[in-house]
Amino acid sequence: MASQGEFAGAKPAAQARERERETWLVRHPAEWRQVGIVGAYLGLLALMFFAPAWRHPLPFVLACLLSFLNAVVIHNHMHRGIFHSHRLNLIWRGVLSFGALYPASANVPAHNLVHHHFADDGQPDWADPSHVAFRWHLLNLIHFPNIAGPNTFAGVGRWAQVTKQQGFVRQYVTELVVAFGLTGAALLYDFWGALLFIVLPQLYGARCILRINLIQHDATDPSSEWNHSRNFVGRWFNWIMCNNGYHTIHHNRAGLHWTELAEAHRREVAPHIEPRLDEPSMVLYLLRTFVLRPRRPVMRARAGGEAELLARTERRAAAEKQAAREQAGPEGAAA
């Protein structure tokens, strides 16, 4: 039976599909913001690499921040492809993979299928906050990518051996070759220039997107339908982050386009979620949680939440079908 949230979202979803048919090249006009983010990031890398006059701290810091946003675009793109053209979506994955120095397609098993469903298959999320356990919480934030990264890519390797998604392994390897091939060529051309002004920004973004798992889910209740994620609801923050601050509604309704998350959060999540999980500012949260209070917050579970996991397993099956359609393109969608 469809939930009330699904009925409430039916009309906006139909309107979104109508907008998709009316746009040129991209499925939604707002996608040009994401294209602009990636274009600015890669352009800045090129300037720092080829024009030594740009090799200064300010462009470097900006490149690191844009690298993180490149990883955010990977997240959005792997949920809903940006372009109408399936081929162009696959090419775009290669571009994004170079920017992050890891295959964008790794998000399909690691994020779409595993992270979105926590431990409902009996195994922990590859990027579960419990994988780090220092008493000084700042060390958990610093060390988390060293655990979550290897866990994720080991899990992706296992999943690739058994998946029935046609073309996944071929696309994954293609992205791997593009990411490391272009980076390797840059290192051969100018080792120190590439290491400092391409590789370090790439790694910064890749590691920070892993840390987001800890920031958004530590000291939450994964068994709850509403309190499993922390949200950052600042308006300007979400404009820059393409609404990735609204994490609860994204988990509950992963098929929503990112432009719909703010309204859906206000309509469906805000009346139910614990107020402490709606943070107005990520910067203030990071300072308060990891600097001013060195001890880790306590995880709070809500009694009776386990029954709600049934709905989440159903959503997992739907996510697997959606991922297969995105991988196969129009032919798979028609089937």
Side-chain angles (χ1 to χ4, degrees):
M1 178 179 294
S3 67
Q4 183 178 357
E6 289 172 333
F7 283 126
K11 187 174 181 180
Q15 293 172 343
R17 286 192 295 270
E18 185 63 28
R19 285 196 301 269
E20 285 184 5
R21 289 192 288 268
E22 295 174 354
T23 56
W24 172 78
L25 196 61
V26 296
R27 291 179 173 176
H28 191 286
E31 303 294 12
W32 291 115
R33 189 190 312 173
Q34 300 200 102
V35 173
I37 287 170
V38 177
Y41 168 51
L42 298 181
L44 188 55
L45 290 186
L47 282 171
M48 292 192 298
F49 182 66
F50 291 111
W54 281 79
R55 296 180 179 182
H56 289 288
L58 186 59
F60 176 80
V61 170
L62 180 58
C64 289
L65 296 176
L66 288 172
S67 174
F68 171 66
L69 293 180
N70 178 84
V72 169
V73 174
I74 289 177
H75 165 265
N76 289 350
H77 181 62
M78 296 310 299
H79 274 292
R80 294 277 294 272
I82 287 177
F83 301 100
H84 290 297
S85 166
H86 176 59
R87 183 176 301 238
L88 193 53
N89 279 327
L90 296 182
I91 294 172
W92 186 241
R93 289 193 201 181
V95 173
L96 296 171
S97 299
F98 167 71
L101 200 58
Y102 71 84
S105 290
N107 272 42
V108 173
H111 180 81
N112 299 24
L113 303 183
V114 172
H115 173 69
H116 263 257
H117 306 281
F118 304 112
D120 61 357
D121 60 354
Q123 299 296 323
D125 176 8
W126 301 334
D128 190 278
S130 65
H131 290 312
V132 289
F134 292 106
R135 292 183 64 186
W136 185 16
H137 202 25
L138 181 59
L139 291 181
N140 291 323
L141 184 67
I142 294 171
H143 184 56
F144 187 70
N146 300 330
I147 302 297
N151 281 352
T152 294
F153 285 103
V156 171
R158 293 191 302 269
W159 185 81
Q161 295 176 2
V162 299
T163 181
K164 296 180 180 178
Q165 288 192 24
Q166 296 181 358
F168 173 83
V169 174
R170 180 175 63 252
Q171 179 65 21
Y172 182 88
V173 171
T174 299
E175 294 164 9
L176 197 67
V177 170
V178 169
F180 284 90
L182 291 177
T183 304
L187 288 166
L188 289 174
Y189 181 82
D190 178 358
F191 179 80
W192 290 108
L195 180 64
L196 295 174
F197 300 106
I198 293 180
V199 175
L200 288 185
Q202 288 171 325
L203 293 178
Y204 179 86
R207 290 173 66 82
C208 280
I209 202 66
L210 287 171
R211 290 190 177 101
I212 286 293
N213 292 286
L214 178 71
I215 293 168
Q216 289 179 320
H217 294 292
D218 193 53
T220 64
D221 180 4
S223 69
S224 168
E225 189 73 5
W226 305 107
N227 299 323
H228 52 69
S229 302
R230 181 171 291 102
N231 304 281
F232 298 95
V233 297
R235 179 179 178 183
W236 291 109
F237 172 84
N238 278 290
W239 191 92
I240 295 169
M241 289 280 290
C242 300
N243 280 349
N244 272 258
Y246 299 105
H247 204 58
T248 299
I249 189 64
H250 173 62
H251 265 270
N252 287 2
R253 298 180 59 195
L256 281 180
H257 191 267
W258 60 268
T259 56
E260 302 174 74
L261 296 179
E263 175 57 32
H265 175 88
R266 287 189 288 269
R267 184 179 64 246
E268 300 177 30
V269 176
H272 304 286
I273 195 171
E274 288 190 23
R276 69 182 180 90
L277 294 178
D278 266 3
E279 292 279 350
S281 168
M282 178 179 281
V283 172
L284 293 180
Y285 171 79
L286 294 176
L287 287 174
R288 185 177 73 247
T289 305
F290 296 98
V291 178
L292 300 180
R293 299 176 185 172
R295 288 184 177 267
R296 188 173 197 167
V298 177
M299 178 83 71
R300 302 200 310 191
R302 183 168 61 83
E306 295 179 359
E308 295 174 348
L309 290 176
L310 292 175
R312 201 174 293 147
T313 58
E314 294 171 0
R315 289 199 295 272
R316 177 172 188 154
E320 289 173 343
K321 292 179 180 178
Q322 176 62 26
R325 286 195 294 267
E326 286 284 347
Q327 186 66 41
E331 297 82 2

